[in-house]
Amino acid sequence: MTKTLHHRACHLCEAICGLTIETEIQADGVTQIRSIKGDAQDSFSRGHICPKAVALQDIQNDPDRLRQPMRRIGEQWQAIGWNEAFALVAERLAAIQELHGKNAVAVYQGNPSVHNYGLMTHSNYFLGQLKTRNRFSATSVDQLPHHLTSYLMYGHGLLLPIPDIDHTAFMLILGGNPLASNGSIMTVPDVEKRLKALKARGGKLVVVDPRRSETAAMADQHVFVRPGNDAALLLGLLNTLFDEGLTRTSHLPVNGLDEVRRAIAPFRAEVMGERCGVPADTIRQLARDFAAAESAVCYGRMGVSTQAFGSLCHWLIQLINLVTGNLDQPGGALCTTPAVDLVATTAGGHFNAWQSRVSGLPEYGGELPVAALAEEMLTPGEGQVRALITVAGNPVLSTPNGRQLEQALEGLEFMLSIDLYINETTRHADLILPSTAPLEHDHYDTTFNLFAVRNVTRFNEAVLAKPEGSLHDWEIFVGLAQAFAARTGNTLKPTMAPEQMIDLGLRYGPYGEQSAHKLNLAALREQPHGIDLGPLVPNLAGRLKTPSAQVEAAPAQLVADLQRFALPPQSQRGELILIGRRHVRSNNSWMHNYHRLVKGKPRHQLLMHPEDMAGRGLADGQRVRVRSRVGMVEVEVAASDDMMPGVVSLPHGWGHARPGVRMDIASAQPGASANDLTDERQLDALSGNAALNGVPVQVEAA
């Protein structure tokens, strides 16, 4: 028996933690994983590991994971060969488009699409041939306001300033829980030690959240805020900075700050405090503390992204960093200088170039908001969606009003899923094409290096051999592209393997052939623990992509959205407000099929403040009905002093016990899907991003 140590990073979440994986070749020649540990020599994660990385072996060995193409015949699934599958897809999609038009085929790409570089490099090799405007992704149930704000202010949707967490003296977090997420639009392994180091050097951590989250519990100050009203707090902060002369002149070229000051003048701390539930004195003190710190950074994540004023929130966050002199400064918010620079090599984006057919929602970067997907299938007429392709996604559990989407999927003429499982969404597919598992293919993090709190790079070699008869994700897209081109008479451009693309990106990147580093793929492969390329440094002035080559502080769309915010919010008697929550063991719904990630204390319950429970005659552990405009779920309620009164919390991704799902461990778990309650009509009207937080609900005994 031969034992081997492998070094690579986990790419199941944004932390990209380095791992040491020990494998053993057994007497029968089969390679088995013996252990997965944190890599103490990793240049970035420094030995940190979370439960998701350990569960990689559960993915590898999961008997429910598909290992060959499967075709649905009635309610039964049958194996099918790759070439036959490719030909079937080409024939069905081409026929539907010939009869009903290009837009009759829709595409949904899930969150794991940015965790697998083969999907990043090659999905459009096939999907681009469809020429459909009905493209959707998990972006619009997650971080679309981030991208839109950066596009409008800096000229590129990926030019995202990242908190310089290792050097800041004051960190203000809104709607983020990095202890559970390991960052999220802030690639930061071992975040707990980094936050403790911030406090140890005399810095201050403040968390604003309707729940006392894991991160809030370790903060110096936790501030409750009414869900969906973070923009009021941020407006009060920004107004105080202007009113009290607490601003600093930025070194960046800036256009429009006077317009900003005039536009936000009515939104003073006293008025905003009543709206968001934070006393005006607290708002003003936060502004003073932030401005007085030697360095400071304001950071917002899911809680502010997925609400009705998500884009407004992210604009105000950028402005707070800008006017205090903390944008593009050490200890503030800085942009990375990644080894493979997508900002330098891709277009900045476009917004509202077209709209969805039914509700007129705006596109961003060629994608429409996924809240419109179900209605595009259900509403008859020219352009109705009749076929769907899902890529590494489970929108039935992860997009608003999942039951409506389920109904829409049942009426499709054809559905293809590129996925590892028969889950709540893919059970409706006519064909499922599974790729190799994470440890069976190599990987390079083009996306999460772009969001890292240090400039880092590493190439992850495959740990296990590619099984006979299987295909990598990029090979699946090449096969589909070739079959579709042959069926439609299209001419395909030549392509190359993802690793060759990464080699070119490294060679022509900021550390490549024209630099002292001379970085290329061969050199990177010689560094299995990765390479630390140094701390983040000021670089935004030279990377701006706006037509004016300035920071646009007052984009017309964002300034105009203040009028929508100024309208008085509506509420109903006796209602509660629903928010989501995250757990370190639960990043995506498919992770619930792994014993290592579902064991331990239950995490599916509805959290509710004891006062709200007493007022409704509810007891801890009781089953309750939760109702919203779109649906009802039954779930166990748990009393929690960590909840703001009037607010309840239900986690994402549960609710697996549905007919046809072939994920045995997940299906045995209790819980309900929060997205059976979220409302496809409740959106950030500017971007179209789903407002998954701040949903009005009623709770009663089941």
Side-chain angles (χ1 to χ4, degrees), residues 336-342 444 446 449-450 455-456 509-511 533 543:
T336 57
T337 310
V340 176
D341 190 356
L342 299 181
Y444 182 87
T446 55
N449 286 336
L450 196 65
N455 292 310
V456 294
Y511 310 95
L533 297 167
R543 304 190 77 197

Side-chain angles (χ1 to χ4, degrees), residues 108-264:
Y108 174 82
Q109 293 181 266
N111 172 270
S113 294
V114 295
H115 295 263
N116 283 23
Y117 84 144
L119 293 178
M120 294 282 289
T121 59
H122 280 77
S123 61
N124 216 43
Y125 195 59
F126 165 57
L127 300 176
Q129 284 192 74
L130 300 173
K131 299 188 185 327
T132 176
R133 287 188 168 183
N134 280 313
R135 298 280 294 260
F136 306 85
S137 81
T139 295
S140 53
V141 284
D142 191 331
Q143 79 278 5
L144 178 54
H146 284 269
H147 299 306
L148 178 58
T149 301
S150 285
Y151 168 67
L152 295 175
M153 293 185 72
Y154 310 130
H156 199 294
L158 293 177
L159 204 49
L160 297 167
I162 305 301
D164 190 14
I165 190 172
D166 290 335
H167 303 103
T168 194
F170 191 108
M171 189 166 187
L172 174 59
I173 299 177
L174 294 94
N177 185 13
L179 260 66
S181 65
N182 292 311
S184 185
I185 313 290
M186 175 179 64
T187 303
V188 54
D190 200 11
V191 67
E192 184 174 6
K193 284 186 179 179
R194 285 178 152 95
L195 290 175
K196 286 180 177 178
L198 184 162
K199 298 173 68 174
R201 60 179 179 263
K204 186 174 182 179
L205 173 64
V206 179
V207 175
V208 177
D209 201 292
R211 180 175 76 92
R212 188 176 296 107
S213 66
E214 294 85 347
T215 307
M218 72 170 292
D220 298 287
Q221 183 179 0
H222 169 231
V223 178
F224 280 128
V225 65
R226 289 197 186 107
N229 285 283
D230 300 78
L233 172 63
L234 291 164
L235 282 163
L237 287 171
L238 187 58
N239 230 321
T240 300
L241 293 170
F242 283 130
D243 281 353
E244 300 188 6
L246 302 175
T247 61
R248 301 176 192 169
T249 302
S250 174
H251 67 284
L252 294 165
V254 181
N255 180 43
L257 271 182
D258 288 341
E259 184 180 353
V260 168
R261 185 167 189 162
R262 289 192 299 270
I264 71 162

Side-chain angles (χ1 to χ4, degrees), residues 408-462:
L409 296 179
E410 292 172 357
L412 290 172
E413 295 179 21
F414 182 73
M415 179 173 167
L416 164 69
S417 291
I418 290 123
D419 209 289
L420 300 178
Y421 288 97
I422 301 174
N423 61 29
E424 294 75 16
T425 297
T426 64
R427 68 192 177 100
H428 296 279
D430 297 281
L431 187 65
I432 306 178
L433 306 180
S435 67
T436 49
L439 296 180
E440 295 169 351
H441 60 76
D442 50 26
H443 181 64
Y444 182 87
D445 276 296
T446 55
T447 300
F448 299 119
N449 286 336
L450 196 65
F451 305 150
V453 297
R454 285 187 70 85
N455 292 310
V456 294
T457 186
R458 68 173 299 149
F459 188 79
N460 301 284
E461 304 283 4

Side-chain angles (χ1 to χ4, degrees), residues 260-514:
V260 168
R261 185 167 189 162
R262 289 192 299 270
I264 71 162
F267 303 101
R268 299 178 60 81
E270 286 72 21
V271 179
M272 294 297 95
E274 292 182 10
R275 178 156 175 176
C276 68
V278 180
D281 289 346
T282 301
I283 295 175
R284 292 193 179 278
Q285 191 59 54
L286 278 176
R288 293 165 189 154
D289 293 347
F290 191 94
E294 181 180 352
S295 60
V297 63
C298 185
Y299 162 76
R301 195 47 199 106
M302 283 290 288
V304 292
S305 294
T306 56
Q307 61 169 269
F309 297 99
S311 299
L312 207 58
C313 284
H314 283 291
W315 175 50
L316 295 168
I317 286 169
Q318 298 301 314
L319 288 173
I320 287 169
N321 288 328
L322 172 65
V323 304
T324 56
N326 287 296
L327 179 62
D328 199 45
Q329 286 283 21
L334 292 160
C335 292
T336 57
T337 310
V340 176
D341 190 356
L342 299 181
V343 172
T345 58
T346 61
H350 47 79
F351 174 58
N352 205 19
W354 63 86
Q355 299 80 38
S356 64
R357 175 180 64 105
V358 179
S359 291
L361 298 182
E363 66 80 38
Y364 170 79
E367 293 182 355
L368 292 167
V370 73
L373 177 57
E375 68 183 15
E376 291 296 328
M377 299 178 192
L378 292 170
T379 306
E382 185 178 352
Q384 180 182 3
V385 169
R386 299 168 185 271
L388 176 67
I389 302 167
T390 67
V391 181
N394 189 0
V396 165
L397 290 193
S398 59
T399 65
N401 199 349
R403 293 292 182 180
Q404 182 193 48
L405 181 60
E406 254 183 333
Q407 176 192 351
L409 296 179
E410 292 172 357
L412 290 172
E413 295 179 21
F414 182 73
M415 179 173 167
L416 164 69
S417 291
I418 290 123
D419 209 289
L420 300 178
Y421 288 97
I422 301 174
N423 61 29
E424 294 75 16
T425 297
T426 64
R427 68 192 177 100
H428 296 279
D430 297 281
L431 187 65
I432 306 178
L433 306 180
S435 67
T436 49
L439 296 180
E440 295 169 351
H441 60 76
D442 50 26
H443 181 64
Y444 182 87
D445 276 296
T446 55
T447 300
F448 299 119
N449 286 336
L450 196 65
F451 305 150
V453 297
R454 285 187 70 85
N455 292 310
V456 294
T457 186
R458 68 173 299 149
F459 188 79
N460 301 284
E461 304 283 4
V463 173
L464 302 172
K466 177 183 174 184
E468 185 178 353
S470 66
L471 293 178
H472 297 313
D473 42 26
W474 70 273
E475 293 174 315
I476 293 173
F477 281 105
V478 169
L480 288 168
Q482 291 172 341
F484 192 80
R487 168 62 176 78
T488 57
N490 294 338
T491 300
L492 276 177
K493 294 180 180 179
T495 189
M496 60 181 71
E499 64 181 67
Q500 294 174 285
M501 296 182 181
I502 296 303
D503 184 46
L504 289 173
L506 292 170
R507 288 177 184 272
Y508 293 100
Y511 310 95
E513 293 176 347
Q514 303 303 314

Side-chain angles (χ1 to χ4, degrees), residues 1-6 21-26 31-35:
M1 297 185 185
T2 303
K3 296 180 181 179
T4 307
L5 291 180
H6 310 262
I21 302 174
E22 183 181 9
T23 61
E24 180 180 79
I25 301 177
Q26 298 182 316
T31 301
Q32 292 286 345
I33 300 167
R34 290 186 56 87
S35 69

Side-chain angles (χ1 to χ4, degrees), residues 641-659:
D641 290 320
D642 291 333
M643 295 304 303
M644 184 179 185
V647 181
V648 293
S649 173
L650 194 64
H652 160 72
W654 302 93
H656 302 286
R658 307 187 188 208

